[in-house]
Amino acid sequence: MYILNLNNSMPQKTNSNRRNFIRNVSLGSLAAITLPSLVSGTAKEVQAKKITLKKNAVVLFQGDSITDSGRKKDQSTPNNAGSLGNGYAFLAAATLLKQFPDLNLQIFNKGISGNKVYQLAERWEEDCLKIQPDVLSILIGVNDFWHTLTGNYKGTIKTYQDDFTALLDRTKQKLPAVQLVIGEPFAVIGVKAVDEKWYPAFNDYRAAAKEIATKYDAVFIPYQTIFDKAQKIAPGSYWTGDGVHPSIAGAELMAASWVETVKK
Amino acid sequence: MYILNLNNSMPQKTNSNRRNFIRNVSLGSLAAITLPSLVSGTAKEVQAKKITLKKNAVVLFQGDSITDSGRKKDQSTPNNAGSLGNGYAFLAAATLLKQFPDLNLQIFNKGISGNKVYQLAERWEEDCLKIQPDVLSILIGVNDFWHTLTGNYKGTIKTYQDDFTALLDRTKQKLPAVQLVIGEPFAVIGVKAVDEKWYPAFNDYRAAAKEIATKYDAVFIPYQTIFDKAQKIAPGSYWTGDGVHPSIAGAELMAASWVETVKK
């Protein structure tokens, strides 16, 4: 049995007594928590570092299906509802474009469903380097773990770390001034696809993403923490349909935390 | 020649002197305006009346293409990215679902491109009354005018008023407790489809929507005023591609003003 440890938000193996204790703590603190404070509180804790958006800045969202969110692959123009999909990238774009109308932002989404890090690498020239983003946001890792459970993928946590590091080395070499945003891979335990097989193993991918963010001086968005805290107000199934893909509410939660990373 | 009158935001016929005078006033007040204040300022001015969202509330967005925004007509479940499209209804839904996770809101979009009021009436039983909304948001009118310019439609301002009034009488009879939100039809002059032929005639549709909102005790959202003010920060073409359909930034501007109508 695994439960959420409220201190570091990493689900841990535990015994029943500790579980009940933490459940009580969780219930006790429930009343004081409101959602705006969840998002901004989390953002404030973790995001001392901020993104600066300059005039004509190019913002690129990269990742897997969570970023993709049904975007139309035949549409490549920035700031376009079709090309941005209907997930957190679109929602963040909408807020950014409304908040910074004087900046002429160019916002792209190039997430592709099912991608692991090595698949980003395969299309990086076309789908990142050529776009020359000023701000590059990457959320990747859930499939690097998930696909090892569903059978076909043999990559390990070391593969994830090495591939991600190589990708960022390559990016920094070509785009030395790029501002990086790295999102924490997340998986909401107990909701459909995400069962006990995920933890504690999946925590390694979360920790790796955070370490890599630090190493590359990236803004780190603690999505797992954000989803864990949100479950104190509504169940996991409200924020994600299957434990991996956010609902509209979950996507907006992510978008709001993304926008919080931008210097006002 | 028509320009925007800053006092009532209704574009007026004017002579050159008055135009220059008002242009100067407009430039003079430019520096002090920021977008957040535009939205909330406008909302505060006009929306003394608020919407109350109760547990399990059903919220229905109705209208034409601006509401439709590419929603998938074969999807009818609430709170679904496909069925909500990618316009202001989806963006407002995302914010509402994030802000009120404890309410179990059920949010629908049944806008259909090209609709005029009489076409809402034709599908009202299925696309409104059966859904039994607690909150019904209607944005309709731009086609009731536009299609008289493009040739085929013979309806007048009286047709719009009479059809809209009949629709709301019918709605109130079946759903006496429904909370109404009526959006001001808007058209951003100088951007593509919206030329001088629109004004001042189109102002009558805006005024009619406002009068009807007052008559039926609806929250009124002054979208034209919101778009007019937004143009002091970025050109009209930033907020709408063709003068009628909002860009992502414009849709978010609308969504933010919609969400402002909800009692916190």
Side-chain angles (χ1 to χ4, degrees), chain B residues 168-190:
Chain B
L168 293 177
D169 282 341
R170 185 176 158 201
T171 307
K172 281 283 198 181
Q173 195 171 24
K174 285 282 176 67
L175 306 168
V178 70
Q179 299 177 76
L180 293 170
V181 178
I182 292 178
E184 182 181 31
F186 58 91
V188 178
I189 198 163

Side-chain angles (χ1 to χ4, degrees), chain A residues 37 52 89 94 96 99 134 148 160 207 217 235 241 252 259:
Chain A
S37 77
T52 304
L96 293 172
Q99 269 189 10
D134 299 286
T148 66
Y160 176 70
D217 198 26
E252 179 65 21
V259 171

